[in-house]
Amino acid sequence: MTKKEVMEIKRRLKKEGCTFTRMCGCYVDAEKNKVVDFGQTFLNLEDEEFYKYLEIAKKVLSGNIGNNLLTLDIPLEEEAAGGRQQFLMGLRESKLKNEELIDRFYDLVIDSYDYAGNYLILVFHDAYDVMTRTTDNNKLDESEEVYEYLLCAICPVSLSKPGLGYRADENRIGPRIRDWVVGVPDTGFVFPAFNDRTTDIHSLLFYTRDTKEPHSEFMENGLGCGSKRTATEQKNLFSHIVKHALGDDDENSNEVLLDLQQKMSDYMEEQDVLFDEETGVILEGDELEKLMSDTGISDDAASSIKEAYTEKFSNQMPEVAHLIDQKTLEANARVREEEALRAEVEELKQQVALHHADNADDADDGIKTYDVILRVKPEKVPQIKSQMIDGQKCLVIPMDENEHAAVNGVNTTV
């Protein structure tokens, strides 16, 4: 699903636009026991509950495409009788009113979701009347189809923090009563996917809050899809491949990796016009090899990086944008700009000093010139003294340890 398609669904999750028909839930404890389960018509909820549950549903449609939100393809074997797709289709067609199917779904999540703690499983059913759009994205007053889907959110439930509070029953300040609080979703999915603004029963949208360690076991065992790396995982894996090939010199490997990422960023900008903005620029092994030839990476290391890259990303070559640490590149660019500015200022200082010296040398005979010209801070002037040292008249300027001096615009170690 693209960002535009995700936003089209998410924009409807408001009090006046929401069409959730039913919501079911199951609270699971740390020992994987079902503590309580429930089901009810969503629009009959009290306002406070309505908005809290709606907030949870929205979170499953939040984040970056390719990082927090991944489109997972459903394998053909899972589309056969008894497969995960067939089960989810049946659950959708029941509109969450078949208690046996709902209970089996809870069991499926509990058996495949690896989480050390209490959590709440929520499932929403919705039917979206998809309106026809013109080429300029304006809506027409006619429906193309009804997109019927399930939205699932798995939320951690944790004990509230201890603290002091007002005990109304005892009219005193005392220890606050701790209770179990439902947090924002950790994992979730939307089935079927809404691709090209139509129902796609061959894929689903997977949500993960933690992009470093998503629940890949739930992707595989719970949903029956192959696991897919987030953009964060791809970036970290690529960094590991490069650093491993370059050896133990961390400082050098970081510098080379930064240089390579800059070249990848430049390559992405050059190629961007050739690719659809939703697809992104894919980096193949051969292109990576070409980019490495312009860096300080040796032929052996480059060969090792290409081989590992091709092997690790054999299922799907990543987008260049997913492999680049943009914040590090921007920080490095700022550092280089500051260094260049400092060098330019220093050069200008030296040019000014030389200009003053040339003017002194070329002065007319009628103008008195000096062999020594001092330029000091006003507070230093009273400290300057004339003193005979080894029979030579000298000017003495006291210097503190933290003070520095420049002669003709050049810094000295005096």
Side-chain angles (χ1 to χ4, degrees):
M1 287 175 65
T2 65
K3 183 177 180 180
K4 199 177 285 187
E5 289 157 352
V6 171
M7 290 305 296
E8 183 173 348
I9 302 299
K10 187 178 179 180
R11 273 194 295 267
R12 301 175 57 258
L13 303 186
K14 301 174 183 176
K15 178 70 174 178
E16 62 278 4
C18 181
T19 55
F20 283 154
T21 58
R22 188 169 177 80
M23 177 191 71
C24 294
C26 180
Y27 176 39
V28 183
D29 67 17
E31 282 72 45
K32 296 185 178 295
N33 299 311
K34 299 175 190 172
V35 179
V36 64
D37 60 80
F38 54 90
Q40 56 199 111
T41 302
F42 191 77
L43 296 177
N44 289 344
L45 291 170
E46 296 292 331
D47 275 0
E48 188 174 353
E49 283 184 286
F50 183 94
Y51 286 115
K52 289 297 180 185
Y53 282 121
L54 205 56
E55 225 173 89
I56 288 172
K58 283 182 182 178
K59 281 292 183 183
V60 176
L61 296 169
S62 301
N64 296 319
I65 301 291
N67 204 22
N68 304 94
L69 297 169
L70 305 171
T71 298
L72 303 182
D73 296 325
I74 299 173
L76 285 175
E77 57 268 24
E78 293 295 341
E79 297 189 5
R84 298 288 196 280
Q85 186 222 45
Q86 290 297 301
F87 174 69
L88 291 173
M89 292 279 284
L91 192 64
R92 181 189 69 154
E93 287 165 12
S94 75
K95 304 185 190 308
L96 302 182
K97 292 178 181 177
N98 187 317
E99 292 185 8
E100 184 184 344
L101 283 180
I102 284 288
D103 201 50
R104 281 176 56 195
F105 176 72
Y106 295 150
D107 290 336
L108 178 67
V109 174
I110 292 168
D111 292 341
S112 60
Y113 183 66
D114 186 13
Y115 185 78
N118 301 3
Y119 57 89
L120 174 66
I121 305 168
L122 291 173
V123 197
F124 304 82
H125 174 271
D126 190 17
Y128 169 36
D129 199 15
V130 184
M131 305 302 290
T132 303
R133 287 187 186 276
T134 60
T135 53
D136 58 357
N137 257 357
N138 289 323
K139 290 182 181 179
L140 295 178
D141 193 19
E142 58 182 65
S143 172
E144 287 184 322
E145 68 166 296
V146 175
Y147 169 54
E148 188 179 3
Y149 67 96
L150 302 175
L151 185 150
C152 173
I154 305 175
C155 310
V157 179
S158 53
L159 200 58
S160 60
K161 294 180 180 179
L164 295 175
Y166 174 63
R167 305 285 294 259
D169 54 336
E170 302 173 15
N171 193 29
R172 72 181 184 92
I173 300 297
R176 191 176 66 186
I177 297 173
R178 301 177 68 187
D179 53 4
W180 293 94
V181 180
V182 177
V184 296
D186 172 73
T187 301
F189 69 88
V190 173
F191 172 84
F194 185 60
N195 290 329
D196 297 324
R197 300 194 70 242
T198 190
T199 302
D200 181 2
I201 63 172
H202 307 294
S203 63
L204 58 86
L205 183 70
F206 181 83
Y207 167 80
T208 179
R209 182 165 174 259
D210 185 354
T211 58
K212 291 182 180 178
E213 295 182 357
H215 285 272
S216 55
E217 81 287 344
F218 183 62
M219 295 184 204
E220 297 174 357
N221 304 323
L223 301 173
C225 303
S227 63
K228 193 173 185 178
R229 294 188 184 98
T230 65
T232 301
E233 288 182 299
Q234 291 176 346
K235 180 180 66 180
N236 291 341
L237 176 58
F238 178 71
S239 176
H240 172 75
I241 289 172
V242 174
K243 289 183 177 181
H244 179 73
L246 295 176
D248 299 328
D249 189 347
D250 289 340
E251 186 175 346
N252 178 62
S253 62
N254 285 334
E255 190 174 329
V256 172
L257 177 61
L258 196 61
D259 184 31
L260 178 57
Q261 287 191 335
Q262 185 59 61
K263 285 179 168 50
M264 289 162 62
S265 179
D266 296 340
Y267 169 76
M268 181 175 66
E269 290 180 8
E270 292 169 4
Q271 298 295 313
D272 224 15
V273 292
L274 305 177
F275 292 82
D276 184 273
E277 63 175 5
E278 298 291 358
T279 305
V281 181
I282 306 300
L283 185 66
E284 301 288 346
D286 291 340
E287 279 306 326
L288 174 62
E289 188 175 35
K290 289 178 186 177
L291 293 173
M292 288 190 291
S293 65
D294 295 331
T295 65
I297 301 176
S298 67
D299 292 342
D300 288 343
S303 176
S304 175
I305 291 170
K306 181 186 176 184
E307 185 180 339
Y309 178 83
T310 306
E311 178 190 346
K312 296 294 185 183
F313 293 103
S314 57
N315 291 338
Q316 184 177 10
M317 288 291 141
E319 293 181 30
V320 183
H322 293 175
L323 307 179
I324 297 172
D325 190 336
Q326 203 60 46
K327 289 183 179 178
T328 302
L329 282 184
E330 289 171 1
N332 184 61
R334 285 194 297 270
V335 169
R336 292 191 175 183
E337 285 176 7
E338 289 170 4
E339 288 176 350
L341 186 59
R342 280 196 292 269
E344 188 177 340
V345 169
E346 193 58 45
E347 185 179 349
L348 287 172
K349 282 182 179 179
Q350 293 182 24
Q351 289 176 3
V352 169
L354 289 172
H355 177 71
H356 287 319
D358 290 343
N359 284 346
D361 291 339
D362 297 338
D364 294 333
D365 292 339
I367 300 174
K368 190 171 182 180
T369 60
Y370 301 90
D371 296 308
V372 178
I373 299 175
L374 296 178
R375 186 177 179 184
V376 297
K377 293 179 179 178
E379 58 266 27
K380 276 288 182 187
V381 174
Q383 301 175 22
I384 301 173
K385 297 178 182 178
S386 175
Q387 186 176 333
M388 296 296 293
I389 301 176
D390 295 332
Q392 181 74 42
K393 186 177 181 181
C394 300
L395 286 176
V396 178
I397 308 172
M399 298 279 290
D400 293 334
E401 288 185 5
N402 62 342
E403 292 182 321
H404 301 277
V407 178
N408 290 346
V410 180
N411 288 332
T412 70
T413 56
V414 175

